[in-house]
Amino acid sequence: MTSKPNAHRKKKPSIPLLCASALASLLCAGQAQAFSLDDVTAKARALMEKPYAAPVNNLPPVFSGMQFADYQKMQPRADRFEWSDQPTPFRLNFYHQGMHFNAAVRINEINGDTVQEIRYDPERFDFGNLSFDKGATSTLGYAGFRVLYPINKEGKNDEIMSFLGASYFRVIGKGQVYGLSARGLSIDTAPPGGEEFPDFREFWVQRPTGTDKQIVIYALLDSPRATGAYQFILTPGGKDAVVDVQANVFVRGDIKTLGVAPLTSMFLYGPNQQSELKRNFRPAIHDSNGLAIQTGSGEWLWRPLNNPKNLAISSFTVENPKGFGLLQRGHEFWRYEDLKDRYDLRPSAWIEPQGNWGKGKVTLMEIPTPDETNDNIVAFWTPDEPTRKGQALQFAYRMHWTTDEPALHGQDNAWVRQTFHTDGEQLQANLIRALDGSSAFLIDFEGPVLAKLPPDTPVSALVSVGDNAELLENTVQRNPAIKGVRVVLRVKVKNPALPVEMRAALMQGDKPLSETWSYQVPPNPQAVAAPAPAALPASTVAPQAAP
C-alpha cells in the first residue's frame, strides 16, 4: 500500500501565464481586487526560484503521538467560527495540528482592500478530555480548514468543503457525505520512483458578502519539484456542488509523471468483484466503483474498479478530454446496506477540462487493500509532453461533486448501470445449472436511448477479448426491470496469473448506442505455481468503441 498524508481518510518560467479558457472571464474577474490569483502566481514563481525547504514540524510529543481517536476530540467551537458575526451565510472553522498533520499552514482572510492572517487561537477549540500543558499550544497553528454553508436546512451550518493534509481537499453537495478526495497536483504517483506529495502551504480566503452565493479560495502549493498558484471558486448550488479550478504550476525539477486534477478514492469490493471477507452483510464497500472518460471526440468509456492482488496501472489515451472522473454509480441504499458509513450518499467527482489540454492520457491506479480505511484508487490526467525544469503550465477545469451521474450523459447515449462477475455456468438437460470453469460477466446498460427503443429493435454487443481468454458466449437481452439491456459474456481465462482485457458496447446496426464497457480481469498469482510479478506493467488503452 502506498502511504500518503491523506487528511480525510480514517489519510523563472520561460513563458507567460495567460487566462485562456472557457472560464476566462470568471477566473480572471477577481484580478481587479486587492488580492487575486496574480498575487499567488507571483509568490509561486518566486518560490520556484528558491531551493525547496520542507515544512517544519513544530509539534510537541503530546500532539505528534496522538492516535486518530484523540485527534478527533479536538473539535472547533461553534461560537468561534470565523464570520459568525457577519451577514454572510458562509462560515470557516479550523483543524488543529496533530498526528502526521505536523506543520502549520498559514490561513489569511481577504476583506475588501485588506489581507490579514487569521491567527491561531486555542480558544477556538474544545479539547474534550485531552490532558496537556496549555503552554504546549503557544507555538502551534492550524493544519487546515473547513467551509460551512446551509445546504440542507436553512440556518444550519453544513460542512461542504475541507482542506487538510498535503494538497488534499473534499467537497459535498446537498444530502451527501464525504467520500473520495481531490488533490491539487500529483507527482510521480505511478512507479517507478517514489511519490512526491506537494503541500498547500498558505491559503487566502475571500470574505463573502451577505448576497454572495460562492466563495473564492487561493492556495500556494510547494514541493521539491513544483510550485503552484491555485484559485478555487466554490458554488454550493442546490443538489450538487461545483468548484472552478485555475492552476498555474511552475516546475522546479524534471517530473516523470505529472498528475493533473488527481482524484483519490477507495474500492474494497462490489458485484463485479465479490468480497473475500467472510460473512459480511454489506453487498458493496466503495467510495467509487468506476472510472468514466469522455474523449475529445465525444466517445464515452466506463472502467469498473477492482481491488487487485497486485498493483495494477491502466492508461487511456485521450486528446483534449471533455471529461473524466471517479464515479459512484448507484445510490440506492440496498446496494450497500450500511447505516454507519452511508456509501449510498457519497458523491462522484467529475472533471470538466476548460480549453484544450492537448495530447495526454488518463491513468488509473488500483492498489491492493485489505480493508476500507485506505484509499487505494488514484486517477489523473498526464500530458504527453515531458514536464521539464523551468516550465510554466496552466490548467483550468470545473469539478462537479454529484450524485446525479446520469445527468452527465446526453439523451442519445446509454451507460453501464452495474457489472456482475460470477462463475460461468451452463443449463443441463435436467435444468440444473452446472459450473463449467468459465467466468461470466453480466453488464446492465440503461439510459433514455434504450428506454425509447421499440421492443423489436435488434440490438447487438460489439465485444473484444484479449489474447489471454476465449470468448464462449455473447448474449444480448432486454432488461425490462430497468428499461435497458443486459449483455452476458462468458470467457475462459487461459492463464489466471495474467490479466484479461475485455470490451463491450451496444450497437444498433453500425450505430453505437452506449458507452464502451472496458474491464480488466485482474491476475490471480495464487492460481498457478509460477510466481507472478510484484506489479503489473502499465496497459495503454484507447477509449473508443470496441473493435
Side-chain angles (χ1 to χ4, degrees):
M1 181 67 58
T2 301
S3 63
K4 58 179 179 57
N6 189 343
H8 303 97
R9 181 155 299 285
K10 322 182 236 195
K11 64 134 147 179
K12 189 172 198 175
S14 58
I15 59 174
L17 290 167
L18 303 173
C19 280
S21 73
L23 290 180
S25 59
L26 175 63
L27 295 173
C28 298
Q31 295 182 1
Q33 302 186 20
F35 189 91
S36 72
L37 183 59
D38 281 347
D39 297 284
V40 191
T41 300
K43 291 177 181 291
R45 183 188 292 111
L47 190 60
M48 183 268 289
E49 295 173 345
K50 300 177 182 178
Y52 173 73
V56 177
N57 181 349
N58 64 340
L59 284 183
V62 65
F63 290 99
S64 61
M66 277 183 172
Q67 297 297 312
F68 184 68
D70 284 336
Y71 182 75
Q72 283 192 308
K73 293 178 181 178
M74 299 187 295
Q75 291 296 315
R77 291 172 46 183
D79 62 332
R80 295 298 303 273
F81 287 178
E82 193 72 13
W83 304 330
S84 292
D85 59 346
Q86 299 298 317
T88 175
F90 288 93
R91 300 286 185 269
L92 297 181
N93 65 39
F94 307 95
Y95 289 100
H96 203 281
Q97 285 184 263
M99 298 193 306
H100 52 275
F101 308 121
N102 52 31
V105 296
R106 185 184 176 108
I107 302 171
N108 307 279
E109 180 196 41
I110 307 167
N111 181 17
D113 296 334
T114 64
V115 178
Q116 187 170 1
E117 180 182 2
I118 304 175
R119 296 192 176 276
Y120 167 77
D121 182 356
E123 295 302 317
R124 288 184 181 267
F125 297 91
D126 181 348
F127 292 92
N129 62 358
L130 294 178
S131 178
F132 58 89
D133 177 8
K134 298 297 183 181
T137 67
S138 61
T139 61
L140 298 184
Y142 301 124
F145 68 97
R146 309 173 181 90
V147 179
L148 297 90
Y149 185 86
I151 55 172
N152 293 303
K153 183 179 179 181
E154 188 175 353
K156 180 183 179 295
N157 293 320
D158 299 300
E159 184 179 333
I160 60 170
M161 190 175 196
S162 173
F163 287 90
L164 178 63
S167 67
Y168 284 91
F169 62 96
R170 295 199 292 183
V171 181
I172 51 175
K174 183 177 181 179
Q176 302 170 9
V177 302
Y178 280 140
L180 80 168
S181 303
R183 285 192 257 176
L185 198 68
S186 69
I187 297 177
D188 288 352
T189 301
E195 182 171 8
E196 183 173 304
F197 288 93
D199 295 292
F200 283 143
R201 302 285 288 270
E202 187 169 2
F203 294 93
W204 295 262
V205 186
Q206 188 170 300
R207 181 194 290 186
T209 68
T211 59
D212 284 346
K213 301 300 182 183
Q214 61 186 25
I215 187 170
V216 181
I217 300 166
Y218 303 102
L220 177 65
L221 179 138
D222 189 25
S223 77
R225 283 180 289 168
T227 67
Y230 285 74
Q231 176 180 259
F232 302 92
I233 302 177
L234 167 63
T235 306
K239 182 178 181 181
D240 300 328
V242 173
V243 181
D244 290 307
V245 182
Q246 176 74 45
N248 299 332
V249 177
F250 300 89
V251 184
R252 260 200 183 113
D254 293 352
I255 297 173
K256 181 177 178 58
T257 304
L258 180 72
V260 179
L263 300 171
T264 303
S265 192
M266 181 276 294
F267 179 90
L268 187 62
Y269 64 82
N272 65 295
Q273 186 185 39
Q274 296 177 4
S275 172
E276 295 182 356
L277 304 175
K278 303 302 181 184
R279 301 176 64 85
N280 195 305
F281 73 95
R282 296 174 291 180
I285 298 177
H286 50 70
D287 290 338
S288 310
N289 58 0
L291 167 68
I293 300 172
Q294 186 183 23
T295 70
S297 63
E299 295 174 307
W300 285 84
L301 179 141
W302 173 249
R303 178 73 155 205
L305 299 178
N306 285 304
N307 179 8
K309 300 286 185 182
N310 292 320
L311 172 67
I313 304 173
S314 302
S315 295
F316 304 87
T317 302
V318 185
E319 182 175 354
N320 293 324
K322 290 187 176 180
F324 67 93
L326 292 174
L327 307 189
Q328 181 80 315
R329 282 188 180 172
H331 295 278
E332 298 87 354
F333 178 73
W334 56 261
R335 293 179 183 265
Y336 312 94
E337 298 289 352
D338 193 327
L339 287 171
K340 177 180 179 291
D341 290 319
R342 298 307 302 266
Y343 291 103
D344 57 306
L345 301 180
R346 303 195 179 200
S348 300
W350 179 251
I351 308 296
E352 184 183 335
Q354 306 298 309
N356 293 328
W357 283 15
K359 294 181 179 181
K361 60 186 177 182
V362 175
T363 296
L364 171 67
M365 291 183 61
E366 299 165 300
I367 308 168
T369 183
D371 56 58
E372 62 198 285
T373 64
N374 298 300
D375 280 336
N376 65 317
I377 304 295
V378 184
F380 50 83
W381 187 85
T382 300
D384 279 352
E385 289 295 322
T387 305
R388 302 300 189 195
K389 179 180 179 179
Q391 280 187 294
L393 307 171
Q394 182 179 65
F395 301 95
Y397 52 96
R398 170 167 286 181
M399 308 182 71
H400 300 265
W401 299 79
T402 180
T403 53
D404 188 8
E405 292 77 18
L408 300 174
H409 291 264
Q411 295 292 306
D412 59 346
N413 192 46
W415 55 88
V416 176
R417 173 186 172 94
Q418 56 193 352
T419 302
F420 297 98
H421 181 189
T422 186
D423 293 330
E425 58 187 16
Q426 288 186 306
L427 190 65
Q428 301 179 111
N430 61 3
L431 302 184
I432 297 176
R433 300 182 185 222
L435 300 179
D436 65 357
S438 67
S439 292
F441 299 85
L442 289 77
I443 310 135
D444 283 335
F445 290 85
E446 66 178 354
V449 68
L450 299 180
K452 67 185 181 183
L453 277 181
D456 58 346
T457 304
V459 177
S460 62
L462 190 60
V463 176
S464 66
V465 175
D467 294 339
N468 192 37
E470 177 187 0
L471 180 63
L472 304 178
E473 180 183 351
N474 173 7
T475 303
V476 179
Q477 59 189 120
R478 292 298 181 95
N479 185 343
I482 63 170
K483 298 180 180 180
V485 170
R486 172 169 290 184
V487 176
V488 179
L489 305 179
R490 199 159 47 86
V491 300
K492 181 70 173 179
V493 178
K494 298 175 182 178
N495 184 352
L498 298 176
V500 176
E501 288 284 350
M502 305 173 62
R503 291 191 154 214
L506 293 181
M507 307 290 293
Q508 181 184 356
D510 58 358
K511 174 188 175 184
L513 290 176
S514 73
E515 66 184 5
T516 298
W517 173 83
S518 174
Y519 192 79
Q520 184 185 81
V521 182
N524 183 5
Q526 288 76 30
V528 292
L536 295 177
S539 59
T540 300
V541 185
Q544 57 192 12

